[in-house]
Coordinates of all heavy atoms in Angstrom, one line a residue:
M14 N 15.9 120.7 210.0 CA 14.6 120.2 209.5 C 14.5 118.7 210.0 O 15.4 117.9 209.8 CB 14.6 120.3 208.0 CG 13.2 120.3 207.4 SD 13.3 120.4 205.6 CE 13.4 122.1 205.2
A15 N 13.4 118.4 210.6 CA 13.1 117.0 211.1 C 12.8 116.1 209.9 O 12.5 116.5 208.8 CB 11.9 117.0 212.0
V16 N 13.0 114.8 210.1 CA 12.8 113.8 209.0 C 11.4 113.9 208.4 O 11.3 113.9 207.2 CB 13.1 112.4 209.5 CG1 12.7 111.3 208.5 CG2 14.6 112.2 209.9
P17 N 10.3 114.0 209.1 CA 9.0 114.2 208.4 C 9.0 115.4 207.5 O 8.4 115.3 206.4 CB 8.0 114.3 209.6 CG 8.7 113.6 210.7 CD 10.1 113.9 210.6
A18 N 9.6 116.5 207.9 CA 9.6 117.7 207.0 C 10.5 117.4 205.8 O 10.2 117.8 204.7 CB 10.1 118.9 207.8
L19 N 11.6 116.7 206.0 CA 12.4 116.3 204.8 C 11.7 115.4 203.9 O 11.8 115.5 202.7 CB 13.7 115.7 205.3 CG 14.7 116.5 206.0 CD1 15.9 115.7 206.6 CD2 15.3 117.6 205.1
R20 N 10.9 114.5 204.5 CA 10.1 113.5 203.7 C 9.1 114.3 202.8 O 8.9 114.1 201.6 CB 9.5 112.5 204.5 CG 8.9 111.3 203.7 CD 8.4 110.2 204.6 NE 9.2 109.8 205.7 CZ 10.2 109.0 205.6 NH1 10.6 108.5 204.5 NH2 10.9 108.7 206.7
R21 N 8.4 115.2 203.5 CA 7.4 116.0 202.8 C 8.1 116.8 201.6 O 7.5 117.1 200.6 CB 6.7 117.0 203.7 CG 5.6 116.3 204.5 CD 4.7 117.3 205.3 NE 5.4 118.2 206.1 CZ 5.8 117.9 207.4 NH1 5.5 116.7 207.9 NH2 6.4 118.8 208.1
A22 N 9.3 117.3 201.9 CA 10.0 118.1 200.9 C 10.6 117.2 199.7 O 11.1 117.7 198.8 CB 11.1 118.9 201.5
G23 N 10.4 115.9 199.9 CA 10.9 115.0 198.8 C 12.4 114.7 199.0 O 13.0 114.2 198.0
L24 N 13.0 115.0 200.1 CA 14.4 114.8 200.3 C 14.8 113.5 201.0 O 16.0 113.2 201.1 CB 15.0 116.0 201.0 CG 14.8 117.3 200.4 CD1 15.3 118.5 201.3 CD2 15.5 117.4 199.0
V25 N 13.8 112.8 201.5 CA 14.1 111.5 202.1 C 13.3 110.4 201.3 O 12.0 110.6 201.2 CB 13.7 111.5 203.6 CG1 13.8 110.1 204.2 CG2 14.6 112.5 204.4
A26 N 13.9 109.4 200.8 CA 13.2 108.4 200.1 C 12.5 107.5 201.0 O 12.9 107.2 202.1 CB 14.2 107.6 199.3
P27 N 11.3 107.0 200.6 CA 10.6 106.0 201.4 C 11.4 104.7 201.6 O 12.2 104.4 200.7 CB 9.3 105.8 200.7 CG 9.6 106.2 199.3 CD 10.7 107.2 199.3
H28 N 11.2 104.0 202.7 CA 11.9 102.7 202.9 C 11.1 101.6 202.2 O 9.9 101.8 201.9 CB 12.0 102.4 204.4 CG 12.8 103.4 205.1 ND1 14.2 103.5 204.9 CD2 12.5 104.5 205.9 CE1 14.7 104.5 205.7 NE2 13.7 105.1 206.2
G29 N 11.7 100.5 201.9 CA 11.0 99.4 201.4 C 11.2 99.3 199.9 O 12.2 99.7 199.3
D30 N 10.2 98.7 199.2 CA 10.3 98.5 197.8 C 9.9 99.7 196.9 O 9.8 99.5 195.7 CB 9.5 97.2 197.4 CG 10.0 96.0 198.0 OD1 11.2 95.9 198.3 OD2 9.2 95.1 198.3
G31 N 9.6 100.8 197.5 CA 9.1 101.9 196.7 C 10.3 102.6 196.0 O 11.4 102.3 196.2
P32 N 9.9 103.6 195.2 CA 11.0 104.3 194.4 C 11.8 105.1 195.4 O 11.3 105.5 196.5 CB 10.2 105.2 193.5 CG 8.8 105.3 194.1 CD 8.6 104.0 194.8
G33 N 13.0 105.4 195.0 CA 13.9 106.2 195.9 C 15.3 106.2 195.4 O 15.6 105.7 194.3
I34 N 16.2 106.6 196.2 CA 17.6 106.6 195.9 C 18.3 105.6 196.8 O 18.1 105.6 198.0 CB 18.2 108.0 196.1 CG1 17.5 109.0 195.2 CG2 19.7 108.0 195.9 CD1 17.9 110.4 195.4
E35 N 19.0 104.7 196.2 CA 19.8 103.7 196.9 C 21.3 104.2 196.9 O 21.6 105.1 196.2 CB 19.6 102.4 196.2 CG 18.2 101.9 196.2 CD 18.0 100.7 195.3 OE1 19.0 100.1 194.9 OE2 16.8 100.4 195.0
T36 N 22.1 103.5 197.6 CA 23.5 103.9 197.6 C 24.3 102.6 197.7 O 24.0 101.7 198.4 CB 23.9 104.8 198.9 OG1 23.1 105.9 198.8 CG2 25.3 105.1 198.9
G37 N 25.4 102.6 196.9 CA 26.4 101.5 196.9 C 27.7 102.0 197.4 O 28.1 103.1 197.0
V38 N 28.3 101.3 198.3 CA 29.7 101.7 198.8 C 30.6 100.7 198.1 O 30.5 99.5 198.2 CB 29.8 101.5 200.3 CG1 31.2 101.9 200.8 CG2 28.8 102.4 201.0
M39 N 31.5 101.3 197.3 CA 32.4 100.6 196.4 C 33.8 101.0 196.5 O 34.1 102.2 196.9 CB 31.9 100.7 195.0 CG 30.4 100.4 194.8 SD 29.8 100.8 193.2 CE 30.6 99.5 192.2
P40 N 34.8 100.1 196.3 CA 36.2 100.6 196.3 C 36.4 101.5 195.1 O 35.7 101.4 194.1 CB 37.0 99.3 196.1 CG 36.0 98.3 195.5 CD 34.6 98.7 195.9
S41 N 37.4 102.4 195.2 CA 37.7 103.3 194.2 C 39.1 103.1 193.7 O 39.9 102.3 194.3 CB 37.5 104.8 194.6 OG 38.4 105.0 195.7
R42 N 39.5 103.8 192.7 CA 40.9 103.6 192.1 C 41.9 104.0 193.2 O 43.0 103.5 193.1 CB 41.0 104.5 190.9 CG 40.2 103.9 189.7 CD 40.4 104.7 188.5 NE 39.6 104.1 187.4 CZ 39.4 104.7 186.3 NH1 40.0 105.8 186.0 NH2 38.7 104.1 185.3
D43 N 41.6 105.0 194.1 CA 42.6 105.3 195.1 C 42.5 104.5 196.3 O 43.2 104.8 197.3 CB 42.5 106.8 195.4 CG 41.1 107.2 196.1 OD1 40.3 106.3 196.4 OD2 40.9 108.4 196.2
G44 N 41.6 103.5 196.3 CA 41.5 102.6 197.5 C 40.6 103.0 198.6 O 40.4 102.3 199.5
Q45 N 40.1 104.2 198.5 CA 39.2 104.7 199.5 C 37.7 104.3 199.2 O 37.4 104.3 198.0 CB 39.3 106.3 199.5 CG 40.6 106.8 199.9 CD 41.0 106.3 201.3 OE1 40.3 106.4 202.3 NE2 42.2 105.7 201.4
P46 N 36.9 104.1 200.2 CA 35.5 103.7 199.9 C 34.8 104.9 199.4 O 35.1 106.1 199.8 CB 35.0 103.3 201.3 CG 35.9 103.9 202.3 CD 37.2 104.0 201.6
R47 N 33.9 104.7 198.5 CA 33.1 105.8 197.9 C 31.6 105.4 198.0 O 31.3 104.2 197.7 CB 33.5 106.1 196.5 CG 34.9 106.5 196.3 CD 35.1 107.9 196.7 NE 36.5 108.3 196.4 CZ 37.3 108.7 197.4 NH1 36.9 108.8 198.6 NH2 38.6 109.0 197.1
A48 N 30.7 106.3 198.3 CA 29.3 106.1 198.2 C 28.8 106.6 196.9 O 29.1 107.7 196.6 CB 28.6 106.8 199.4
I49 N 28.1 105.8 196.2 CA 27.6 106.1 194.8 C 26.1 106.1 194.9 O 25.5 105.0 195.1 CB 28.1 105.2 193.7 CG1 29.7 105.2 193.7 CG2 27.5 105.6 192.4 CD1 30.3 104.2 192.8
P50 N 25.4 107.2 194.8 CA 24.0 107.2 194.8 C 23.5 106.5 193.5 O 24.0 106.7 192.4 CB 23.6 108.7 194.8 CG 24.8 109.4 194.4 CD 26.0 108.6 194.7
V51 N 22.5 105.7 193.7 CA 21.9 105.0 192.5 C 20.4 105.4 192.5 O 19.6 105.1 193.5 CB 22.0 103.4 192.7 CG1 21.3 102.7 191.5 CG2 23.5 103.0 192.8
I52 N 20.0 105.9 191.4 CA 18.6 106.4 191.2 C 17.8 105.4 190.4 O 18.3 105.1 189.3 CB 18.6 107.8 190.6 CG1 19.3 108.8 191.5 CG2 17.1 108.3 190.4 CD1 19.5 110.2 190.9
R53 N 16.7 105.0 190.9 CA 15.8 104.1 190.1 C 15.1 104.9 189.1 O 14.4 105.9 189.4 CB 14.8 103.4 191.0 CG 13.9 102.4 190.3 CD 13.0 101.8 191.3 NE 13.7 101.0 192.3 CZ 13.1 100.2 193.1 NH1 11.8 100.1 193.2 NH2 13.9 99.6 194.0
V54 N 15.2 104.5 187.8 CA 14.5 105.2 186.7 C 13.6 104.1 186.0 O 13.9 102.9 186.0 CB 15.4 105.8 185.7 CG1 16.2 106.9 186.4 CG2 16.4 104.8 185.1
T55 N 12.6 104.6 185.3 CA 11.7 103.7 184.6 C 12.1 103.6 183.1 O 11.8 102.6 182.5 CB 10.2 104.1 184.6 OG1 10.2 105.5 184.1 CG2 9.7 104.1 186.0
D56 N 12.9 104.5 182.6 CA 13.3 104.5 181.2 C 14.8 104.9 181.2 O 15.1 106.1 181.2 CB 12.5 105.5 180.4 CG 12.9 105.7 179.0 OD1 13.7 104.9 178.5 OD2 12.4 106.6 178.3
L57 N 15.7 103.9 181.1 CA 17.1 104.2 181.1 C 17.6 105.0 180.0 O 18.3 106.0 180.1 CB 17.9 102.8 181.2 CG 19.3 102.9 181.5 CD1 19.6 103.5 182.9 CD2 20.0 101.5 181.4
E58 N 17.2 104.7 178.7 CA 17.6 105.4 177.6 C 17.1 106.9 177.6 O 17.8 107.8 177.3 CB 17.2 104.7 176.3 CG 18.0 103.5 175.9 CD 17.8 102.3 176.8 OE1 16.7 102.2 177.5 OE2 18.7 101.4 176.9
G59 N 15.8 107.0 178.0 CA 15.3 108.4 178.1 C 16.0 109.2 179.1 O 16.3 110.4 178.9
S60 N 16.4 108.6 180.2 CA 17.1 109.3 181.3 C 18.5 109.7 180.8 O 18.9 110.8 181.1 CB 17.2 108.4 182.5 OG 15.9 108.1 183.1
L61 N 19.1 108.8 180.1 CA 20.5 109.1 179.5 C 20.4 110.3 178.6 O 21.3 111.2 178.5 CB 21.1 107.9 178.8 CG 21.7 106.9 179.7 CD1 22.1 105.7 178.9 CD2 22.8 107.4 180.6
E62 N 19.3 110.4 177.8 CA 19.2 111.5 176.8 C 19.0 112.8 177.6 O 19.6 113.8 177.3 CB 17.9 111.3 176.0 CG 18.1 110.2 174.9 CD 16.8 110.0 174.1 OE1 15.9 110.7 174.2 OE2 16.8 108.9 173.4
R63 N 18.3 112.8 178.7 CA 18.1 114.0 179.5 C 19.4 114.3 180.2 O 19.7 115.5 180.4 CB 17.0 113.8 180.5 CG 15.6 113.8 179.9 CD 14.4 113.8 180.8 NE 14.4 112.6 181.7 CZ 13.9 111.4 181.4 NH1 13.5 111.2 180.2 NH2 13.9 110.4 182.2
V64 N 20.2 113.4 180.7 CA 21.4 113.6 181.3 C 22.4 114.3 180.4 O 23.0 115.4 180.7 CB 22.1 112.3 181.8 CG1 23.6 112.5 182.1 CG2 21.3 111.8 183.0
T65 N 22.5 113.8 179.2 CA 23.5 114.4 178.2 C 23.0 115.8 177.7 O 23.8 116.7 177.5 CB 23.8 113.5 177.0 OG1 22.5 113.1 176.4 CG2 24.5 112.2 177.5
A66 N 21.7 115.9 177.6 CA 21.1 117.2 177.2 C 21.3 118.3 178.3 O 21.5 119.5 177.9 CB 19.6 117.1 176.9
G67 N 21.4 117.8 179.5 CA 21.7 118.7 180.6 C 23.1 119.0 180.9 O 23.4 119.6 181.9
G68 N 24.0 118.4 180.1 CA 25.5 118.7 180.3 C 26.2 117.5 181.1 O 27.4 117.6 181.3
G69 N 25.5 116.4 181.4 CA 26.1 115.3 182.0 C 26.8 114.4 181.0 O 26.5 114.6 179.8
T70 N 27.5 113.4 181.4 CA 28.2 112.5 180.5 C 28.0 111.0 181.0 O 27.8 110.8 182.2 CB 29.7 112.7 180.3 OG1 30.3 112.7 181.6 CG2 30.0 114.1 179.7
V71 N 28.1 110.1 180.1 CA 28.0 108.7 180.4 C 29.4 108.2 180.9 O 30.3 108.3 180.1 CB 27.5 107.9 179.2 CG1 27.4 106.4 179.6 CG2 26.1 108.3 178.8
A72 N 29.5 107.7 182.1 CA 30.8 107.2 182.6 C 30.9 105.7 182.3 O 32.0 105.2 182.0 CB 30.9 107.5 184.1
V73 N 29.8 105.0 182.5 CA 29.7 103.5 182.2 C 28.5 103.3 181.3 O 27.4 103.6 181.8 CB 29.7 102.7 183.5 CG1 29.5 101.2 183.1 CG2 30.9 102.9 184.3
E74 N 28.7 102.8 180.1 CA 27.6 102.5 179.2 C 26.6 101.6 179.8 O 26.9 100.8 180.7 CB 28.1 102.0 177.9 CG 29.0 102.9 177.1 CD 28.1 104.1 176.5 OE1 26.9 103.9 176.2 OE2 28.7 105.1 176.3
P75 N 25.3 101.6 179.4 CA 24.3 100.7 179.9 C 24.8 99.2 179.9 O 25.4 98.8 178.9 CB 23.1 100.9 179.0 CG 23.3 102.3 178.5 CD 24.8 102.5 178.4
F76 N 24.4 98.5 180.9 CA 24.8 97.1 181.1 C 23.6 96.4 181.7 O 22.7 97.0 182.2 CB 26.0 96.9 182.0 CG 25.9 97.6 183.3 CD1 25.3 96.9 184.4 CD2 26.3 98.9 183.5 CE1 25.2 97.6 185.6 CE2 26.2 99.6 184.7 CZ 25.6 98.9 185.8
T77 N 23.6 95.0 181.5 CA 22.5 94.2 182.1 C 23.0 93.6 183.4 O 24.1 93.1 183.5 CB 22.2 93.1 181.1 OG1 21.7 93.7 179.8 CG2 21.1 92.2 181.6
L78 N 22.0 93.6 184.3 CA 22.2 93.0 185.6 C 21.3 91.8 185.6 O 20.1 91.9 185.8 CB 21.8 93.9 186.8 CG 22.6 95.2 186.9 CD1 21.9 96.2 187.7 CD2 24.0 94.9 187.5
P79 N 21.8 90.6 185.2 CA 21.0 89.4 185.1 C 20.0 89.2 186.3 O 20.5 89.2 187.4 CB 22.0 88.2 184.9 CG 23.2 88.9 184.4 CD 23.2 90.2 185.1
G80 N 18.8 89.0 186.0 CA 17.8 88.8 187.0 C 17.4 90.0 187.8 O 16.5 89.9 188.7
V81 N 18.0 91.2 187.5 CA 17.7 92.4 188.2 C 17.1 93.5 187.3 O 16.1 94.1 187.6 CB 19.0 92.9 188.9 CG1 18.7 94.2 189.6 CG2 19.5 91.8 189.9
G82 N 17.8 93.8 186.2 CA 17.4 94.8 185.3 C 18.6 95.4 184.5 O 19.5 94.6 184.1
R83 N 18.7 96.7 184.3 CA 19.8 97.3 183.6 C 20.3 98.5 184.4 O 19.5 99.1 185.2 CB 19.3 97.7 182.2 CG 18.8 96.6 181.4 CD 18.3 97.0 180.0 NE 19.4 97.5 179.2 CZ 19.4 98.7 178.6 NH1 18.3 99.4 178.6 NH2 20.4 99.2 177.9
G84 N 21.5 98.9 184.1 CA 22.0 100.1 184.8 C 23.1 100.8 183.9 O 23.5 100.3 182.9
C85 N 23.5 101.9 184.4 CA 24.6 102.6 183.8 C 25.1 103.6 184.9 O 24.5 103.8 185.9 CB 24.3 103.4 182.5 SG 23.1 104.7 182.8
Y86 N 26.2 104.3 184.6 CA 26.7 105.3 185.6 C 27.0 106.6 184.7 O 27.5 106.5 183.6 CB 28.0 104.8 186.3 CG 27.6 103.8 187.3 CD1 27.6 102.4 187.0 CD2 27.2 104.1 188.6 CE1 27.2 101.4 187.9 CE2 26.8 103.2 189.5 CZ 26.8 101.8 189.1 OH 26.5 100.9 190.0
I87 N 26.7 107.7 185.3 CA 26.8 109.0 184.7 C 27.6 109.9 185.6 O 27.8 109.7 186.8 CB 25.5 109.6 184.3 CG1 24.6 109.7 185.6 CG2 24.7 108.7 183.3 CD1 24.1 111.1 185.8
L88 N 28.1 110.9 185.0 CA 28.7 112.0 185.7 C 27.9 113.3 185.5 O 27.6 113.6 184.3 CB 30.2 112.3 185.2 CG 31.2 111.3 185.5 CD1 32.5 111.6 184.7 CD2 31.5 111.2 187.0
D89 N 27.4 113.9 186.6 CA 26.6 115.1 186.4 C 27.5 116.2 186.0 O 28.8 116.1 185.9 CB 25.8 115.4 187.6 CG 26.6 116.0 188.8 OD1 27.8 116.2 188.7 OD2 25.9 116.3 189.8
P90 N 27.0 117.4 185.6 CA 27.9 118.5 185.2 C 29.0 118.9 186.2 O 30.0 119.4 185.8 CB 26.9 119.6 184.9 CG 25.6 119.0 184.5 CD 25.6 117.7 185.4
A91 N 28.7 118.6 187.5 CA 29.7 119.0 188.5 C 30.8 117.8 188.7 O 31.7 118.0 189.5 CB 29.1 119.3 189.8
G92 N 30.6 116.7 188.0 CA 31.5 115.6 188.1 C 31.1 114.5 189.1 O 31.9 113.6 189.4
L93 N 29.9 114.6 189.7 CA 29.5 113.6 190.7 C 29.0 112.3 189.9 O 28.3 112.4 189.0 CB 28.3 114.2 191.5 CG 27.6 113.2 192.5 CD1 28.6 112.9 193.6 CD2 26.4 113.8 193.0
L94 N 29.6 111.2 190.4 CA 29.2 109.9 189.8 C 27.9 109.4 190.4 O 27.7 109.4 191.6 CB 30.3 108.9 190.1 CG 30.1 107.5 189.5 CD1 30.1 107.5 188.0 CD2 31.2 106.5 190.1
I95 N 27.0 109.1 189.5 CA 25.6 108.7 189.9 C 25.2 107.4 189.1 O 25.5 107.4 187.9 CB 24.6 109.8 189.6 CG1 24.9 111.0 190.4 CG2 23.2 109.3 190.0 CD1 24.1 112.2 190.0
G96 N 24.7 106.4 189.7 CA 24.1 105.3 189.0 C 22.7 105.5 188.7 O 21.9 106.1 189.4
L97 N 22.3 105.0 187.5 CA 20.9 104.9 187.1 C 20.6 103.5 186.8 O 21.3 102.8 186.1 CB 20.7 105.7 185.8 CG 21.1 107.2 185.8 CD1 20.9 107.8 184.4 CD2 20.3 108.0 186.8
H98 N 19.6 103.0 187.5 CA 19.2 101.6 187.3 C 17.7 101.5 187.1 O 16.9 102.3 187.6 CB 19.5 100.8 188.6 CG 20.9 100.5 188.8 ND1 21.4 99.8 189.9 CD2 22.0 100.9 188.1 CE1 22.7 99.8 189.8 NE2 23.1 100.4 188.8
T99 N 17.3 100.5 186.2 CA 15.9 100.2 186.0 C 15.8 98.7 186.3 O 16.7 97.9 186.0 CB 15.5 100.5 184.6 OG1 14.1 100.2 184.5 CG2 16.2 99.7 183.5
Y100 N 14.8 98.4 187.1 CA 14.6 97.0 187.6 C 13.5 96.3 186.9 O 12.5 96.8 186.5 CB 14.3 97.1 189.1 CG 15.5 97.7 189.8 CD1 15.4 99.0 190.2 CD2 16.6 97.0 190.1 CE1 16.5 99.6 190.9 CE2 17.7 97.6 190.8 CZ 17.6 98.9 191.2 OH 18.7 99.5 191.8
T101 N 13.8 95.0 186.6 CA 12.8 94.1 186.0 C 11.8 93.7 187.0 O 12.1 93.4 188.2 CB 13.5 92.8 185.5 OG1 14.6 93.2 184.6 CG2 12.6 91.9 184.8
T102 N 10.5 93.8 186.7 CA 9.5 93.4 187.6 C 9.2 91.9 187.4 O 9.5 91.3 186.3 CB 8.2 94.2 187.3 OG1 7.7 93.9 186.0 CG2 8.4 95.7 187.5
E103 N 8.5 91.3 188.3 CA 8.2 89.9 188.2 C 7.3 89.6 187.0 O 7.3 88.5 186.5 CB 7.5 89.4 189.5 CG 8.5 89.4 190.7 CD 7.8 88.9 191.9 OE1 6.8 88.2 191.8 OE2 8.3 89.2 193.0
S104 N 6.5 90.6 186.5 CA 5.7 90.3 185.4 C 6.4 90.5 184.1 O 5.8 90.2 183.0 CB 4.5 91.3 185.4 OG 5.0 92.7 185.3
D105 N 7.7 90.9 184.1 CA 8.4 91.1 182.8 C 8.9 89.8 182.3 O 9.2 88.8 182.9 CB 9.6 92.0 183.0 CG 9.2 93.4 183.2 OD1 8.0 93.7 182.9 OD2 10.1 94.2 183.6

């Protein structure tokens, strides 16, 4: 499937400041680099409720990113680590 088709299917996030999925490459306990998808959400607490209702668990409780917003990390039911972040807008 070509990129435009993937984009139409919602599988490729737009570039720039729009909503989408970001990725962080971070060291892990075993020393190997890991890519952690980070999903931008508008309601962190509501998202956590939906995660736990769907069988996921909270891996890192919500925290504040000064000047940026708030975040947390969850494990989906298959054990995949995913970040959830909400960002502060300039008007906040």
Side-chain angles (χ1 to χ4, degrees):
M14 203 182 271
V16 171
L19 290 172
R20 192 176 315 280
R21 282 192 302 277
L24 300 175
V25 174
H28 297 286
D30 294 332
I34 298 175
E35 301 170 12
T36 301
V38 178
M39 305 170 74
S41 62
R42 290 182 181 170
D43 65 6
Q45 297 299 311
R47 301 282 182 239
I49 302 171
V51 177
I52 301 172
R53 182 181 297 190
V54 297
T55 56
D56 176 12
L57 192 60
E58 284 71 23
S60 296
L61 283 175
E62 288 175 12
R63 289 189 298 281
V64 164
T65 55
T70 58
V71 177
V73 176
E74 293 291 332
F76 53 88
T77 299
L78 298 160
V81 177
R83 297 180 64 230
C85 69
Y86 289 90
I87 56 122
L88 292 170
D89 78 357
L93 178 66
L94 181 64
I95 301 170
L97 301 178
H98 289 179
T99 183
Y100 298 99
T101 305
T102 62
E103 290 182 21
S104 61
D105 288 348

